Amino acid sequence: MLTLYITRHGETEWNVEKRMQGRLDSNLTDKGKLHAQLLGKRLENTEFAAIITSPSGRTVQTAELIKGDRPIPIVKDTRLMEIHFGSWEGKTHDEIKEMDAHQFDCFWNNPHLYQNSEGESFQDIQDRVIAVLKDIEKTYSSGNVLIVTHAVVIKTMYMVMKQLPLEEFWAPPFIHGTSLTIVELNDGKKRFLLEGDLAHVQQEAHL
């Protein structure tokens, strides 16, 4: 049996500024770094065959903070990169609304109608998520694998593994930075053990 531990990168400077990042990048905030370290502490007794990460700086740094000094191989896979937003990247939500209010609304509220001629569609993301999940299952037939990626990619994994329609893309849970999702893969069956969990962050907040 293969168990996937799936997390999003920690909070970044552009997350705070409500800028769309996509293929562009910004640095982790101090909070983002702390939450990644807390997730690493939470998972310190879990043995991982590998950490597979998007090659974006924010995800690689998150992966390294979770890994700490453990000898776990980090594998970068471009198929785990965030959705490409074209000219939206680096722009604030308000700026994008001024550029294309209709498509911005579609992205968040009617994803099945979203189109971006300069970037990727949700179908594009789905195609590469299906491919990377198949490859991970082939490479790691058992054990634990940690995946560090982005919000849209993780929501696409939910959609694919739960066989949800695109209309339900943004259904709960919300994928916060360093939130943890755990999925067991066994003989083609997928069982979610945890979804978008932030116990490591909430525990720190109550200390």
Side-chain angles (χ1 to χ4, degrees), residues 112-128:
H112 58 295
L113 301 177
Y114 171 71
Q115 296 179 336
N116 187 331
S117 60
E118 299 174 333
E120 288 183 297
S121 67
F122 283 109
Q123 184 61 53
D124 292 328
I125 307 302
Q126 183 173 327
D127 291 344
R128 54 186 173 91

Side-chain angles (χ1 to χ4, degrees), residues 138-193:
K138 286 179 184 176
T139 305
Y140 307 95
S141 57
S142 63
N144 303 312
V145 170
L146 176 64
I147 298 174
V148 185
T149 182
H150 308 267
V152 172
V153 177
I154 294 173
K155 293 302 289 186
T156 303
M157 288 180 174
Y158 271 73
M159 190 180 70
V160 167
M161 290 192 280
K162 291 189 171 189
Q163 299 182 318
L164 298 174
L166 187 52
E167 288 87 339
E168 296 181 31
F169 189 87
W170 293 114
F174 186 88
I175 304 300
H176 293 277
T178 76
S179 63
L180 183 62
T181 293
I182 304 177
V183 188
E184 284 183 351
L185 309 182
N186 193 12
D187 293 330
K189 296 179 181 178
K190 300 170 178 64
R191 186 162 74 101
F192 281 74
L193 305 182

Side-chain angles (χ1 to χ4, degrees), residues 4-156:
L4 301 181
Y5 289 69
I6 304 167
T7 192
R8 181 187 178 193
H9 60 81
E11 180 189 76
T12 68
E13 293 169 356
W14 281 8
N15 289 152
V16 174
E17 296 171 6
K18 295 191 180 301
R19 292 184 186 276
M20 297 291 244
Q21 294 181 112
R23 297 300 177 88
L24 297 182
D25 215 1
S26 68
N27 295 323
L28 295 184
T29 62
D30 288 343
K31 183 167 80 171
K33 295 173 186 176
L34 172 61
H35 289 179
Q37 291 168 336
L38 291 172
L39 181 55
K41 179 71 173 174
R42 178 179 182 177
L43 298 175
E44 66 181 351
N45 295 319
T46 302
E47 292 187 10
F48 290 105
I51 299 174
I52 306 176
T53 180
S54 156
S56 295
R58 59 191 184 274
T59 45
V60 172
Q61 186 178 11
T62 299
E64 289 173 343
L65 288 168
I66 295 170
K67 181 179 83 73
D69 58 4
R70 292 191 287 171
I72 307 169
I74 293 181
V75 180
K76 299 174 186 176
D77 194 314
T78 58
R79 294 173 296 181
L80 291 174
M81 291 187 76
E82 184 58 294
I83 186 172
H84 182 26
F85 287 115
S87 61
W88 288 14
E89 297 192 353
K91 303 286 195 307
T92 65
H93 289 195
D94 288 341
E95 288 170 340
I96 297 168
K97 287 178 190 176
E98 290 182 7
M99 293 166 61
D100 195 339
H102 174 66
Q103 283 303 325
F104 187 76
D105 180 70
C106 286
F107 180 82
W108 291 111
N109 300 309
N110 294 290
H112 58 295
L113 301 177
Y114 171 71
Q115 296 179 336
N116 187 331
S117 60
E118 299 174 333
E120 288 183 297
S121 67
F122 283 109
Q123 184 61 53
D124 292 328
I125 307 302
Q126 183 173 327
D127 291 344
R128 54 186 173 91
V129 162
I130 289 172
V132 75
L133 287 174
K134 283 182 179 178
D135 284 351
I136 290 171
E137 286 189 73
K138 286 179 184 176
T139 305
Y140 307 95
S141 57
S142 63
N144 303 312
V145 170
L146 176 64
I147 298 174
V148 185
T149 182
H150 308 267
V152 172
V153 177
I154 294 173
K155 293 302 289 186
T156 303

